[in-house]
Amino acid sequence: MDHIRPPKIHGRGAQSARVPDRFGLGQRELDGDWRDYMESLTSLEGTPPIKLRTTVTDEFPKTIVSFNSSPDIPFDRSINAYRGCEHGCIYCFARPTHAYHDLSPGLDFETRLFAKPDAPRLLRETLARPRYRPAPIAMGTNTDPYQPIERRYRITRQVLEICLETRHPVTITTKSDRVLDDLDLLAALAQRNLVAVAISVTSLDPKLSGKLEPRAAAPAKRIAALGKLVEAGIPAHCSVAPVIPAITDEFLEEIIQAAATQGVRSAGWIALRLPHEVAPLFREWLAVHFPDRAGKVMSIVRSIRNGRDNDPDFFTRMKPSGVWADLFRARFKLACKRAGIGKARFTLDNSQFRPPSLDGQLPLF
């Protein structure tokens, strides 16, 4: 008898909740009776959707600013107000971090979230340290600071309020037009050259984006948000990220042109990365949504990562190599030239910083 494919997970990027084996964690398997019941509902018209609810747990870490000395990224400190991300981007390189909680980098990452309501207080304590030296704080480097639960928690906004109060530079990377909810703070920071915002655009096809990043803002909304940031005088950057061979690379030129029409003068691209558990999750996603080209996609991915699903090495992990990588670079460079987008660099001002007092009151002198 032919095997019946399990029903697709509706509205989510990952298609399973397997936990990683690199930590020796116990594996999860679907209950047999439940699977039989769901398969019995399968009909010629399609499979029934499986809907999962999102849960949020408050987390209370001892610190909120993470410092790093990586040679591959342009910042040395970051804040992640949330752990896990409801956007559900199947390619998200942050998925493996959920394994540290004995949770699945798959469905758990996008349905079992953690919020850090103490982030503003912890940030204030960090900035008040006598030996603290300011440099841009990056937000959105691991999980999106403007994912849906931000509308309720407003942790990102509170962090921005402290940055404005202390004149501390900050950068933001997001896939959501919800960033416009804080346009007032961003404009005030921009007037002092204290902020830059990058919005990631993966494709211009809303149906494809609905499969890749099911709960992120539609591509058209992201492009429009870039325009509103530019209009408000906020340095805006369009990040074509990630570029997925044979899936999203066809949109590279169109995205650059669309950003340029909104007045954006800075753009960049990042090739798909598949660290740790992201690789099998992405393969699973390909098997569900693009079985006809799964082999081709992974073949190109390996060709730009020195024959591996992912290159984890410092100095090379962010620099894909090979013919396909060279082709993407050439296309991106030509697209920017045609669109009139140069090599804009945002250098934020560290000199205005003034340490806060722990009671929230600034000194008079």
Side-chain angles (χ1 to χ4, degrees):
M1 187 174 82
D2 292 338
H3 174 71
I4 300 177
R5 178 183 295 176
K8 295 180 182 179
I9 308 297
H10 180 71
R12 300 293 181 177
Q15 297 297 305
S16 71
R18 288 195 298 269
V19 294
D21 55 16
R22 61 192 173 107
F23 297 113
L25 303 177
Q27 292 299 311
R28 302 176 187 169
E29 294 185 3
L30 296 177
D31 177 79
D33 292 338
W34 181 88
R35 183 194 294 273
D36 291 342
Y37 171 70
M38 293 305 294
E39 290 185 354
S40 72
L41 298 179
T42 303
S43 65
L44 295 176
E45 287 73 29
T47 56
I50 303 172
K51 295 184 179 181
L52 300 175
R53 294 185 180 275
T54 300
T55 63
V56 185
T57 301
D58 287 351
E59 181 179 7
F60 298 95
K62 294 181 179 180
T63 61
I64 196 61
V65 181
S66 298
F67 294 88
N68 77 85
S69 57
S70 171
D72 301 314
I73 51 180
F75 55 86
D76 70 350
R77 64 201 70 186
S78 60
I79 289 177
N80 288 286
Y82 305 104
R83 190 189 301 273
C85 186
E86 196 175 6
H87 283 167
C89 305
I90 187 58
Y91 49 75
C92 182
F93 61 84
R95 283 182 176 273
T97 60
H98 243 48
Y100 301 144
H101 286 270
D102 292 355
L103 296 174
S104 162
L107 289 173
D108 287 347
F109 178 80
E110 48 193 285
T111 61
R112 300 177 66 175
L113 311 181
F114 296 84
K116 305 173 185 178
D118 270 358
R121 177 183 64 79
L122 294 172
L123 175 59
R124 188 177 295 278
E125 290 177 358
T126 299
L127 301 186
R129 293 174 184 169
R131 295 186 179 182
Y132 180 81
R133 296 295 178 267
I137 294 175
M139 300 189 69
T141 58
N142 209 35
T143 57
D144 202 306
Y146 286 104
Q147 59 178 290
I149 59 174
E150 164 63 13
R151 180 153 288 171
R152 172 159 59 100
Y153 277 87
R154 307 302 279 155
I155 299 174
T156 298
R157 181 175 180 85
Q158 294 175 65
V159 168
L160 291 179
E161 287 173 341
I162 293 176
C163 288
L164 179 59
E165 172 193 324
T166 61
R167 307 294 189 258
H168 196 291
V170 60
T171 64
I172 296 171
T173 301
T174 182
K175 282 186 171 65
S176 178
D177 62 337
R178 192 169 288 107
V179 66
L180 299 178
D181 290 351
D182 294 335
L183 199 62
D184 56 334
L185 293 176
L186 296 174
L189 286 163
Q191 290 179 353
R192 295 178 174 275
N193 190 27
L194 294 173
V195 72
V197 178
I199 295 182
S200 174
V201 185
T202 313
S203 83
L204 293 180
D205 180 352
K207 291 184 178 180
L208 175 57
S209 291
K211 297 174 182 178
L212 273 173
E213 41 209 18
R215 299 199 174 197
K221 289 186 175 182
R222 296 184 226 176
I223 294 294
L226 283 167
K228 291 180 180 179
L229 290 172
V230 171
E231 184 179 342
I234 300 163
H237 173 87
C238 178
S239 178
V240 188
V243 174
I244 305 176
I247 300 289
T248 67
D249 67 283
E250 65 174 286
F251 299 100
L252 195 155
E253 289 84 359
E254 293 181 68
I255 293 173
I256 295 299
Q257 184 58 50
T261 60
Q262 297 293 330
V264 176
R265 290 294 174 263
S266 175
W269 73 282
I270 300 175
L272 176 68
R273 297 176 56 225
L274 299 174
H276 300 300
E277 291 79 27
V278 183
L281 285 169
F282 184 72
R283 289 176 182 273
E284 188 175 58
W285 180 88
L286 285 173
V288 171
H289 295 289
F290 293 96
D292 59 322
R293 68 183 86 170
K296 177 180 180 180
V297 173
M298 292 308 302
S299 176
I300 298 175
V301 169
R302 288 192 298 271
S303 76
I304 67 176
R305 299 296 182 188
N306 297 314
R308 297 178 286 181
D309 286 350
N310 183 63
D311 179 2
D313 299 332
F314 284 141
F315 302 105
T316 59
R317 59 180 179 151
M318 303 300 292
K319 297 178 181 179
S321 59
V323 175
W324 281 97
D326 291 341
L327 176 61
F328 294 148
R329 288 191 187 93
R331 288 175 56 191
F332 175 78
K333 183 177 181 180
L334 182 58
C336 287
K337 182 177 180 181
R338 288 174 174 172
I341 293 180
K343 294 183 178 180
R345 293 292 182 269
F346 303 129
T347 303
L348 303 184
D349 188 357
N350 299 325
S351 66
Q352 303 176 53
F353 175 68
R354 49 186 188 181
S357 62
L358 294 181
D359 60 6
Q361 298 297 319
L362 291 171
L364 295 177
F365 303 100

